[in-house]
Amino acid sequence: DDGNGDNKEIKKPVINSNEIPPSTTMNEMLLPTSTSSITTSTTTTSSSNRRKELLKQYIQKIFSTQPSSTIQEYTIQLDNIGFDPNCKSRFELRLDDLDFMKVLHARFFYQEVMKEK
């Protein structure tokens, strides 16, 4: 020791190879051992599914005569751009955000959303 504390020994963790089964992959060794991240993921997925279902119902009210395939496609695309019918950010929607819709559908949808403003 030189007296100024610079000579501290750094201990490295030692992994006993007997503790790890031979078939264990590197990814398995790095996975978290607790289920908290899994629970969070499940909760997030559940919340996401609920939000998408509400979005789908909102779209169905506006396009009540459209086939379910159109409703489903619009639900996916609107979710992808972050549209949430229960959030004030919906009023930030612009017509060119709806380029995935048929032209008249886009105009009608936009007008319906802005009516609520």
Side-chain angles (χ1 to χ4, degrees):
D1 187 34
D2 61 25
N4 58 7
D6 292 336
N7 197 14
K8 292 182 181 177
E9 183 180 333
I10 298 174
K11 294 183 180 181
K12 295 181 182 177
V14 177
I15 298 175
N16 183 346
S17 62
N18 295 330
E19 295 174 2
I20 303 172
S23 62
T24 304
T25 66
M26 183 60 87
N27 284 338
E28 290 170 325
M29 290 181 357
L30 298 175
L31 286 174
T33 55
S34 77
T35 58
S36 63
S37 63
I38 295 169
T39 304
T40 302
S41 175
T42 303
T43 304
T44 303
T45 303
S46 174
S47 173
S48 175
N49 289 341
R50 178 74 178 134
R51 188 175 36 77
K52 284 181 186 176
E53 185 57 35
L54 292 172
L55 177 56
K56 182 178 177 182
Q57 291 171 5
Y58 181 82
I59 296 166
Q60 284 174 324
K61 286 179 185 175
I62 293 174
F63 296 116
S64 59
T65 62
Q66 292 305 307
S68 61
S69 58
T70 299
I71 301 298
Q72 185 63 27
E73 179 62 25
Y74 289 174
T75 300
I76 291 167
Q77 295 296 334
L78 284 165
D79 184 56
N80 286 344
I81 65 168
F83 181 83
D84 182 345
N86 297 317
C87 183
K88 290 181 181 182
S89 68
R90 71 185 179 276
F91 301 124
E92 296 301 318
L93 185 70
R94 296 186 338 212
L95 194 54
D96 61 341
D97 294 330
L98 304 174
D99 61 354
F100 55 87
M101 289 184 175
K102 294 176 183 176
V103 173
L104 295 180
H105 286 180
R107 290 178 189 161
F108 184 71
F109 184 82
Y110 181 80
Q111 288 173 359
E112 290 297 304
V113 170
M114 291 306 148
K115 257 193 232 180
E116 301 166 7
K117 199 168 181 180

